[in-house]
């Protein structure tokens, strides 16, 4: 198979207001034949340059109403236009431009980049198969300064980690979920709801939080809340890259450090991942 | 000279609310003698490990009331404690953790990383010289989708760039300014005011913006507004790394592209920089 | 599942000569139960810290005779020691330290880092399944300045790419291959042979080279040569990330540019990938 | 001032052999007037696009005989062509393509990227001032596994570092040196000689090495050897970014670790730097 990536800006106006979407689009294609690999016969190969042109033309003609709709448009175009395409996957990710505000007033044409989690989506289709749509968020860095511990784990002669009931929980989240059949979905609204669930499940109630006994359990809480609150989500995968922080031992320096000064531990670093699906989906 | 970098987290509580500052501190030292270089005599060398300990101990004892105050504390410590130090510079930069909110309610202990411009500061001092404080913002990405052009530039036989009166202005800003004598400064308040000036000067009025005839002029506007609105700022340096966008030529594809689809130009990329000081400062 | 990464140095002596291996080891584990995710019950969880200790202890006890043997040792340790482990995968990659030479004489204890392709391997095992070993090279950047073209590809109304019979072929290679049952393999020798095949197939004969009609065909040539010359390789995957170079049009500058000055095209960039297996392997 | 960066490939043939230089060129300009900043008057501004064209045209016309000669050509062009230029600096760095060899035979047109230290140079000139040329190497990673210690350093109540007489010395070197008046220099030959001196001074004799009492002393040894062996070098600056390695304490795991297994310490990390000039140069 082959894939290629193109980055571009799509501008449009709503009344006097200027709007901007900057996206990176990666298109994967697998052809029905592998003759270009085996025989050096390029007659079915769609050049990278052509794929780029198609993506830009679709952006020009349709705009980018939502990332998901744009990915769907691209998939459909390749499937219907090229009979030599056996499989197509389109990944779209957004540069997080946000409109600037001055004293609460939105600016007509100025934007600031705010990368507090990157929105992405994927649409994929095999010839004669259904078009499947995924959405997600990545590079979302979160921290809880308390209400996190790790106790009762498996121990043997190689164990040196002490049990902790009040540590820092910090990590970079990757979440990706799939939708069922997409009829008239408001993809922006759904995505925002999913993001809110992620933050809520990570944090717990604002006034007291909720104790996390492990990174793994926090991953599961996020999945459960998204599945329960966002009915369109069928399967959800979460990967949490952990950043560990050690309380600095200051005894040699004549001081008691009561979880006031901590240093990040670069290595080992870990991650935990889980994929969870609705029962009805698994049964289907 | 030598320098070293340490990254750590400082936690404290305000009532029930947990607060967090994660900083990266880089300390430069120059000693009065170079005997460790010339003779391999280490007797005056302050090891990296000791510098780290000092930074962590100061963080533990004083907390980090503001980045600037913390940098000042470190500088002063080195100057007063070690007579072999001829020069010290401390750079402090902040990991942009922001408190999470749920439906408007601030969370007691959960944070999200929002890197929309990184705050930093520097304090430096030569033995027998004044302590000078700088503050700044870096990695601030801004875009104007209109009200920007570039015309009337110098032309010769190597010129191929057309004049443009409606282009994209996009770039990554670095701003660094110095303060005069710091007596009872509210560093957080001053920094926020400076940041607001930068955004305002870049954008112009929210309802119509203001035409920028060049990246250079925009750099100057930012400097002028900060100097006029923030009296504590004495000298201000601005560097703007430009990202150019080209309107995609779609004639060959049978389409007219009226600044709707643009691609970023990776190379050549450029930057412009300027340092501006108050007249009274220059005269002094 | 969970994974974690640890980086370390293993030193030993051969006579008076000092030897060094610096590796990054990433261990993935999947447990037989998911109770830590679902119930917050950590009793079967093997902490990241314990995994780190095990990897370091194995390095101390066994050394790192080859990357592959070390990965096999780690896999076997986890499978035999922890009955709650359902699956283990160990990835090992080497920091490319090479012994320094002075006028042809090897230095007893000094090394230089030469990252002309990074060697890695993987060992994986499911409980009750066979232990499978992979080896590979990544980040290998190669260029042919001629003997490369791209012609006869599929064309339609979105095609703007001209046919070319003398372009630059440049890219970053990733190759990964699997071994069959590993009995008394000399992994270092096999890996070096595979690397030589890759370079030879990419380049062709030194005096004239060999024409490449596409990136895809070059990928295939690499696979075919490795399979034919290295009998231990059963399946080989190659991914080639392309860097395109455009001949700069200098007509406006009054010059003819006969493929003398070219600029890299950052976007779109592409890659092609293919996995090829021996017939006997597929039939097995 | 403004600067801009362009990356490109320059190909030529020597007989049947194809030769390649890929370089990144960064040109800084300061104009005699700042009217584009102050008044938005662009009439003296040389656009980034024009600078790019000039660099490419010079590469086309003159080739890149050596990095240094190319940088000199660019500087001279700007100074002689544009009377509004008050200062020009050109930085050139090379992508380290090396010709592939098959069984000792050099390949006619195939290359591999071998980044074991990046060669760069700089030429700079003020109007009415001399043209000054610098050359250097960066990203050169070196390691000594023994013959390095750190003892007898300054101690006080914040010292926790133990003295060590057999540690790892590992770091990333940056060296930059200036030439005097360049008449008929063989820049390639001089650069290679300087690189050899750096490696030799870092390592010591191949059969036994030479003890380094500190990173600082190693920096000085490098400078002294280059100055003594390469007469064209007038001033030399060396920065050594240290990577520290800690011997893993395995007592809790029931093992003695005799400097066999070490882990890199990510933070704090340090660097030391020194600039050294010939006496005759300082006296001049």
């Amino acid at each position: 198979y082959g894939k290629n990536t193109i980055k571009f800006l799509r501008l449009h106006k709503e009344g006097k207001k200027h709007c901007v979407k900057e996206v990176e689009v990666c298109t994967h294609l697998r052809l029905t034949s592998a003759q270009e690999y085996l025989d050096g016969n390029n007659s079915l190969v769609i050049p990278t340059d052509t794929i780029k042109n198609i993506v830009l033309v679709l952006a020009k003609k349709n705009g980018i109403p939502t990332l998901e709709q744009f990915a769907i448009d691209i998939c459909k175009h390749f499937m219907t236009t090229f009979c030599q395409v056996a499989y197509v996957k389109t990944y779209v990710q957004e540069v997080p431009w946000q409109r600037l505000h001055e004293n609460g007033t939105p600016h007509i044409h100025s934007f600031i980049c705010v990368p507090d989690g990157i929105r992405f989506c994927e649409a994929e289709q095999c010839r004669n198969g259904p078009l499947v749509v995924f959405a997600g968020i990545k590079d979302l860095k979160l921290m809880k300064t308390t209400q996190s511990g790790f106790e009762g784990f498996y121990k043997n002669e190689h164990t040196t980690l002490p049990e902790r009931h009040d540590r820092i929980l910090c990590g970079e989240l990757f979440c990706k979920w799939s939708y069922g059949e997409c009829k008239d979905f408001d993809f922006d609204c759904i995505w925002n709801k999913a993001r809110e669930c992620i933050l809520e499940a990570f944090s717990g109630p604002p006034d007291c939080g909720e104790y996390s006994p492990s990174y793994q359990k926090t991953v599961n809480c996020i999945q459960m809340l998204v599945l329960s609150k966002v009915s369109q989500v069928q399967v959800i995968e979460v990967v949490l890259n952990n950043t560990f922080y050690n309380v600095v031992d200051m005894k040699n320096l004549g001081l008691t450090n009561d979880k006031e000064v901590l240093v990040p531990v670069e290595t080992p670093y870990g991650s935990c991942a889980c994929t969870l699906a609705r029962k009805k989906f698994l049964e289907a």
Side-chain angles (χ1 to χ4, degrees), chain A:
Chain A
Y1 73 93
K3 67 177 182 179
N4 88 73
T5 303
I6 166 83
K7 198 175 173 182
F8 65 95
L9 212 64
R10 180 64 171 89
L11 301 182
H12 75 281
K13 279 176 156 189
E14 291 178 3
K16 287 182 141 195
K17 223 172 52 168
H18 290 245
C19 301
V20 61
K21 275 237 170 19
E22 185 167 12
V23 291
E24 201 174 303
V25 176
C26 181
T27 308
H28 303 237
L29 293 179
R30 198 181 305 128
L31 302 186
T32 49
S33 147
Q35 66 192 23
E36 74 275 24
Y37 286 92
L38 302 174
D39 310 328
N41 178 340
N42 294 331
S43 63
L44 297 178
V45 177
I46 307 164
T48 288
D49 186 74
T50 305
I51 299 173
K52 175 201 70 171
N53 286 339
I54 289 168
V55 170
L56 295 176
V57 164
L58 289 174
K60 153 74 190 168
K61 285 185 172 165
N62 305 356
I64 306 181
T66 62
L67 297 194
E68 290 83 357
Q69 191 55 54
F70 188 54
I72 292 168
D73 290 354
I74 295 171
C75 268
K76 283 188 174 163
H77 180 92
F78 279 98
M79 265 303 164
T80 55
T81 310
F82 301 99
C83 55
Q84 73 265 45
V85 168
Y87 167 81
V88 56
K89 181 166 79 177
T90 302
Y91 171 89
V92 183
Q93 118 181 3
E94 195 175 8
V95 180
W97 292 111
Q98 286 187 9
R99 189 175 298 282
L100 271 172
H101 287 71
E102 279 178 33
N103 305 317
T105 312
H107 197 283
I108 195 173
H109 64 237
S110 292
F111 301 87
I112 181 171
C113 187
V114 186
D116 58 345
I118 301 293
R119 179 171 170 182
F120 68 89
C121 75
E122 250 177 45
E124 71 174 335
Q125 188 167 22
C126 288
R127 188 152 297 279
N128 303 323
L131 193 148
V132 189
V133 180
F134 300 85
I137 186 167
K138 61 173 196 167
D139 301 342
L140 174 62
K141 280 170 208 145
L142 299 173
M143 181 191 286
K144 283 172 69 167
T145 57
T146 189
Q147 289 280 51
S148 163
F150 188 49
E151 300 176 283
F153 45 79
Y154 189 85
K155 293 179 192 68
N156 71 0
E157 77 273 20
H158 290 120
T159 308
T160 55
L161 187 76
E163 308 224 321
R164 279 169 303 176
H165 63 277
D166 186 12
R167 61 171 186 178
I168 302 280
L169 196 157
C170 180
E172 197 175 300
L173 260 170
F174 170 93
C175 292
K176 181 179 164 185
W177 53 86
S178 69
Y179 295 119
E181 211 186 329
C182 305
K183 20 184 180 187
D184 304 324
F185 276 12
D186 181 339
F187 288 111
D188 286 349
C189 172
I190 297 170
W191 187 88
N192 284 319
K193 213 161 133 196
R195 184 179 188 273
E196 267 169 42
C197 289
I198 293 166
L199 298 182
E200 188 186 328
F202 179 87
S203 313
D207 57 335
C208 59
E210 190 174 329
Y211 184 72
S212 161
S214 65
Y215 280 85
Q216 288 87 339
K217 181 65 184 156
T218 292
V219 162
N220 182 254
C221 286
I222 291 169
Q223 295 173 314
M224 295 299 284
L225 195 67
V226 173
L227 284 173
S228 75
K229 290 265 186 79
V230 191
S231 60
Q232 297 89 345
V233 172
Q234 299 302 326
V235 182
I236 177 164
E237 178 192 359
V238 174
V239 184
L240 183 52
N241 289 306
N242 319 334
T243 306
F244 298 114
Y245 286 88
N246 276 344
V247 176
V248 178
D249 185 345
M250 295 190 153
K251 258 175 249 159
N252 287 338
L253 298 161
L255 291 165
T256 316
N257 180 9
D258 186 21
K259 216 185 86 168
E260 292 155 292
V261 181
L262 302 97
V263 292
V265 181
E266 305 283 333
T267 162
Y269 59 88
S271 74
C272 59
C274 192
T275 303
L276 205 67
R278 288 188 193 285
K279 239 182 175 160
K280 60 173 182 183
F281 184 81
L282 290 174
E283 283 161 0

